[in-house]
Amino acid sequence: MSAIEATTPTVRKTALNAVHREMAAKMVEFNGWEMPVEYPANGGIIAEHNAVRERAGIFDVSHMGDIRLEGQEALLAVQHITMNDAARLAIHQAQYSALLYPQGTFVDDVIVHRLAECDYLLVINAGTRGKDFQWVRDNSRHFDCFVENLSDAYTQIAIQGPQAIRVLQKLTDSELSSVKFYWLTRATVCGLHNVLVARTGYTGEDGFEIYIPSDEGTSAMVWNQLLDAGREFGVVACGLGARNTLRLEAKLPLYGHEISDTLNVWEAGLDRFCKLDKMEFIGRGALEEAKAEGVQRTLIGLEMVERGIARDGHKVFEQSGRQIGYVTSGSYAPFLKKSIALAYVPPQSAEIGKELQVEIRGQLVKARVVPTPFYKRAKKKA
Amino acid sequence: MSYPAELKYTKEHEWIKPDGDLAAIGITDYAQQALGDIVFVELPKVGSEIMAGKSFGSVESVKAVSDLYAPASGKVTEVNQELATAPEKINHDANRTWMIRVELKNPAELNTLMSVSDYERFIQEEGGH
């Protein structure tokens, strides 16, 4: 084989690929993975989206990657490579965080799970799997800890929505109500022992993400049992289409859009996940300087006032006609029934209520700056 | 999916239903299914001219935006106003949900379009199913 052939990217498939095809999912390529974008038999992306807001949905998110750091100095390593304060994590607690470059921009955003005393699991994005693992390994060399890429070991399934807990509870004897949001447990699920069950997600809803062995048989068994168990609650299988509109309504960032290697933490508005007062970490110096200087651009929410849908890359203009920024994500928001977008603009244009314009296919369309997240779930009493 | 025999079809998945010098234009069942949930339709104004093979508007689903290409040239006589508030009608019944009506400039242009059997063969080749 020639070198060219060897570097031709192959599209990867998750262990549930055949199951998705059987369900007549519409498959697309996403970050090098063949993934279901929607299951037309469910009624499409809007129906899937609203099922998660009102009932529950299950998602194959096995394309996400997993990196484990284990050993005496695992905490020190995690502290060094991530921006949040992992020292605050109790065993079985998780936190949103990010891997940063020395200039304070993003390698990736991650969820850090503390599995045991000196054992951490970083869940990372599909598109950055290779880069992230390299980054984590290279930058944790000086610590006494073992770094393992477990990305291919797990099939990761997200069960999301207000009824998610009741769906999953039917398949486990662990008491899920005792697992708080952003905590995890080890449970027997569908007869599988010691399954990592985390109360996390990417939809703006309550829900769980479970990590099961990645063989096709086990993966299909659990997927189908979730669908069966969820039938009485109206659970549906959901694709990446709904996953994207759900996370957009909840203003959860997507790598390559709201965060990237050219955007820093302050610009992305992720201040509360970045702890400058903890020990030194990669990117801290640059972030301290950037904080002193103040940001040149900031992430805002837009709601279209006139008809039209702003999309990734569309330019944002002031009323005066001056271009001031660009859209990072935009869509029709199925639950809110509005056309919404996230965009970077200078802070002086970020005032709530300010009228701006988005250039959509050659036409300037009016939009208004609105508070974010666009959608926030109602807090229920425990 | 069904494709009525009285319609003529384009390779961009529009249909046109001729009625003398007038015609209605929409998109096919195949197109609506490929697009998914349609949430926005941009159409020309009454009185404007459309040109065969050129874009006359766009249709947007949750995921993507697609141009609409005119199956034939003509002057727009009517625009389906319902689609401004209920674009999902196209998903529900693509074959009967017309977008615009036009006064054909040259009805002979329709002879260059695909018949239902040509179209069915075309999408079979294109979609591989």
Side-chain angles (χ1 to χ4, degrees), chain B residues 65-79:
Chain B
V65 54
S66 293
D67 272 309
L68 294 164
Y69 294 96
S73 307
K75 187 189 245 179
V76 179
T77 59
E78 214 178 330
V79 173

Side-chain angles (χ1 to χ4, degrees), chain A residues 52 54-56 159-168 233 380:
Chain A
V52 172
E54 289 155 4
R55 305 185 304 276
I159 307 110
Q160 301 283 301
Q163 300 291 340
I165 187 166
R166 295 170 78 184
V167 176
L168 188 58
F233 304 110
K380 271 194 228 133

Side-chain angles (χ1 to χ4, degrees), chain A residues 16 20 57-64 154-160 168 189-190 195-198 200 207-213 218-227 243:
Chain A
L16 288 164
H20 301 317
I58 63 169
F59 302 73
D60 175 13
V61 288
S62 308
H63 58 313
M64 304 285 288
Y154 295 123
T155 282
Q156 185 182 338
I157 299 175
I159 307 110
Q160 301 283 301
L168 188 58
V189 177
C190 300
V195 170
L196 171 58
V197 175
T200 54
F208 295 85
E209 292 179 288
I210 62 171
Y211 300 75
I212 58 171
T218 305
S219 303
M221 181 272 286
V222 174
W223 177 265
N224 289 325
Q225 285 204 29
L226 282 165
L227 281 179
R243 185 168 157 85

Side-chain angles (χ1 to χ4, degrees), chain B residues 65-106:
Chain B
V65 54
S66 293
D67 272 309
L68 294 164
Y69 294 96
S73 307
K75 187 189 245 179
V76 179
T77 59
E78 214 178 330
V79 173
N80 189 345
Q81 298 296 345
E82 262 189 324
L83 298 180
T85 50
E88 67 275 10
K89 280 185 174 287
I90 299 164
N91 290 115
H92 299 155
D93 191 358
N95 289 328
R96 275 182 294 195
T97 307
W98 59 275
M99 293 176 163
I100 55 173
R101 290 189 203 276
V102 295
E103 198 180 299
L104 295 173
K105 202 168 181 179
N106 177 10

Side-chain angles (χ1 to χ4, degrees), chain A residues 17 38 100 158 191 218-219 240 242 253 301 303 311 313 326:
Chain A
N17 191 276
E38 63 174 307
L100 302 178
T218 305
S219 303
L240 293 185
E303 188 179 311
R311 301 281 185 182
Y326 64 97

Side-chain angles (χ1 to χ4, degrees), chain A residues 298 300 318 322 324 345-352 354 356 369:
Chain A
T298 188
I300 56 158
E318 263 182 349
R322 191 169 63 101
I324 53 164
V345 299
Q348 57 271 25
S349 300
E351 188 194 332
I352 303 295
K354 191 175 174 75
L356 298 173
V369 180

Side-chain angles (χ1 to χ4, degrees), chain A residues 345-375:
Chain A
V345 299
Q348 57 271 25
S349 300
E351 188 194 332
I352 303 295
K354 191 175 174 75
E355 290 235 334
L356 298 173
Q357 293 172 306
V358 181
E359 189 182 62
I360 301 175
R361 296 156 63 79
Q363 292 195 337
L364 289 176
V365 180
K366 272 192 194 126
R368 188 174 53 235
V369 180
V370 295
T372 53
F374 304 99
Y375 169 85

